[in-house]
Amino acid sequence: MKIERIETFLVPPRWLFCRIETSDGVVGWGEPVVEGRAEVVRAAIDVLSEYLIGQDPLQIERHWQVLTKGGFYRGGPVLSSAVAGLDHALWDIAGKVYGAPVSALLGGRVRDRVRVYAWVGGDEPAEVADSVAEQVAAGMTAVKMNGSGRIQTSPSVAEINDIVARLGAARSVLGDSRDVAIDLHGRVGVAGARRILHAVEELQPLFVEEPVLPEHMAHLADVVSASTVPVALGERLYHRADFVGPLNAGVAVLQPDVSHAGGISELRRIAVLADTHGAMLAPHCPLGPISLAASLQVSFATPNFLIQEQSRGIHYNVASDLTSYVVDPTPYTWVNGHAEWNPLPGLGITIDEDAVRAADKIGHAWRNPVWTHEDGSFAEW
């Protein structure tokens, strides 16, 4: 069996899918994308395909090594995301060939269901409370929200108080038996992050995500030590070596993205690295159905797993959602806030190929917003 054909599909709302077909007719699907740079990753797939065409698809680790190291210049989000999507598809093929879920090929599942969280919005505390109440009514046991909108690098007292108020509104609905996490998106500086972590400590969030930007990792230990609140990060890190510094700084939760950090092959290695430091895995995944299916396979097989992000109903998915390109939406039906075990082979989903090909004809050119402060200077989105 050889790899015979590799295709990519630019599909709304902001996703890129790839399809690998073998000489035996087995098809695997992946989701390689950098949000806002999907066309660039598509070009990278075309280049990497030159190596893969004609190869045995079951030699996944061999291919991962060549794809990530064979070009001499390594790393970065574009290359890592392109490799990730191809890696998804190869694991999908392997599972279908062997008649087993990918998690079985990773050593077998260690749990029967995976806890997921929902994203909630709302700029005012009352809106947050209403959004959280909707998720509780739907059976969710955990939510995440942005800590703030546009905010100064050195936040004011009013801005910090607003974060506390919004988190408090969520906690008032959730009570003590459900969880809330907040994402700071690297929007504040090191000193501001320390102040925020201290301010929200009494509300006991599940974690505070990306309190500082990746380029400020040298000061991460100072941020972590500011409070007892667990610090989480990793969506903008692309290789296991990138996580060594954060783990040594005391980060409690790693959030690599299976569509950015080298795919299933690398995500499982990052999970093992986290385990050696007593940290937990909460995979980042605000993307499409293939990315989530791949991420769930790792989550089912990871002992130090905490919780899984998922994008059903997220604000990015205006025209299309998780179920828009799959034949059966059952794998994306949450039961009491959990994804149930899926015994189907490969990634466990069947892609609606007609829908994907039709969507690719429309395509998209999604770009993230560019924010500025009141004085006109650049603001982190």
Side-chain angles (χ1 to χ4, degrees):
M1 183 171 59
K2 304 296 182 184
I3 295 172
E4 197 167 76
R5 187 182 185 190
I6 300 175
E7 300 174 89
T8 53
F9 305 92
L10 200 64
V11 299
R14 57 179 191 152
W15 303 329
L16 181 69
F17 296 166
C18 74
R19 177 185 185 273
I20 297 181
E21 183 175 347
T22 72
S23 55
D24 288 9
V26 181
V27 173
W29 287 87
E31 190 170 337
V33 67
V34 173
E35 301 94 298
R37 299 291 186 268
E39 304 93 331
V40 183
V41 180
R42 190 177 211 177
I45 292 284
D46 289 342
V47 173
L48 296 177
S49 295
E50 296 173 4
Y51 160 75
L52 281 175
I53 296 295
Q55 298 286 342
D56 175 359
L58 301 181
Q59 301 296 314
I60 300 173
E61 185 60 31
R62 181 194 298 265
H63 300 326
W64 194 93
Q65 295 294 326
V66 173
L67 292 172
T68 58
K69 301 174 182 177
F72 186 74
Y73 294 100
R74 305 176 183 180
V78 172
L79 176 61
S80 293
S81 298
V83 171
L86 294 168
D87 187 76
H88 302 163
L90 293 176
W91 279 103
D92 194 25
I93 289 170
K96 291 171 180 175
V97 169
Y98 296 125
V102 168
S103 58
L105 306 184
L106 298 177
R109 71 185 190 275
V110 296
R111 58 183 51 82
D112 298 322
R113 56 183 189 158
V114 162
R115 191 184 187 200
V116 300
Y117 64 81
W119 186 92
V120 294
D123 293 332
E124 301 297 331
E127 295 176 1
V128 169
D130 290 342
S131 296
V132 172
E134 290 178 8
Q135 296 297 339
V136 170
M140 302 301 291
T141 66
V143 298
K144 189 179 80 175
M145 62 186 185
N146 282 327
S148 70
R150 183 178 56 187
I151 188 171
Q152 298 177 85
T153 304
S154 180
S156 67
V157 173
E159 287 173 320
I160 294 176
N161 287 343
D162 181 62
I163 293 172
V164 174
R166 295 173 76 241
L167 183 59
R171 175 60 71 199
S172 68
V173 177
L174 294 165
D176 295 337
S177 61
R178 299 181 181 89
D179 288 306
V180 56
I182 59 172
D183 186 355
L184 295 184
H185 243 244
R187 290 172 180 165
V188 298
V190 172
R194 286 171 54 84
R195 292 169 63 200
I196 291 169
L197 282 167
H198 179 72
V200 303
E201 188 167 12
E202 289 188 4
L203 292 167
Q204 298 189 54
L206 180 63
F207 55 75
V208 171
E209 178 176 338
E210 209 172 28
V212 294
L213 292 167
E215 50 262 43
H216 297 153
M217 292 298 182
H219 304 287
L220 194 55
D222 294 335
V223 174
V224 171
S225 65
S227 80
T228 61
V229 175
V231 169
L233 55 77
E235 68 186 83
R236 289 190 268 193
L237 304 179
Y238 314 114
H239 187 276
R240 76 201 85 124
D242 298 336
F243 289 90
V244 174
L247 286 167
N248 287 336
V251 167
V253 181
L254 298 192
Q255 298 175 295
D257 190 308
V258 77
S259 279
H260 299 323
I264 292 168
S265 295
E266 186 70 352
L267 187 61
R268 65 192 295 238
R269 288 188 278 260
I270 293 169
V272 172
L273 176 64
D275 198 25
T276 65
H277 288 75
M280 302 194 77
L281 187 77
H284 180 262
C285 191
L287 294 169
I290 305 171
S291 182
L292 181 56
S295 198
L296 284 170
Q297 294 294 330
V298 178
S299 296
F300 271 106
T302 298
N304 56 317
F305 166 81
L306 176 64
I307 198 166
Q308 173 70 59
E309 183 172 22
Q310 55 84 28
S311 69
R312 190 159 192 178
I314 199 170
H315 60 295
Y316 299 118
N317 302 350
V318 177
S320 303
D321 209 347
L322 272 181
T323 60
S324 297
Y325 302 110
V326 293
V327 173
D328 181 6
T330 302
Y332 307 110
T333 302
W334 316 134
V335 180
N336 297 322
H338 289 74
E340 295 291 321
W341 164 243
N342 179 358
L344 295 176
L347 296 181
I349 58 173
T350 301
I351 295 296
D352 185 341
E353 190 168 319
D354 290 339
V356 170
R357 292 187 182 278
D360 182 57
K361 293 179 180 179
I362 300 170
H364 69 82
W366 189 87
R367 302 288 183 265
N368 68 257
V370 176
W371 286 356
T372 57
H373 292 296
E374 291 182 358
D375 64 359
S377 63
F378 179 81
E380 291 291 339
W381 171 65

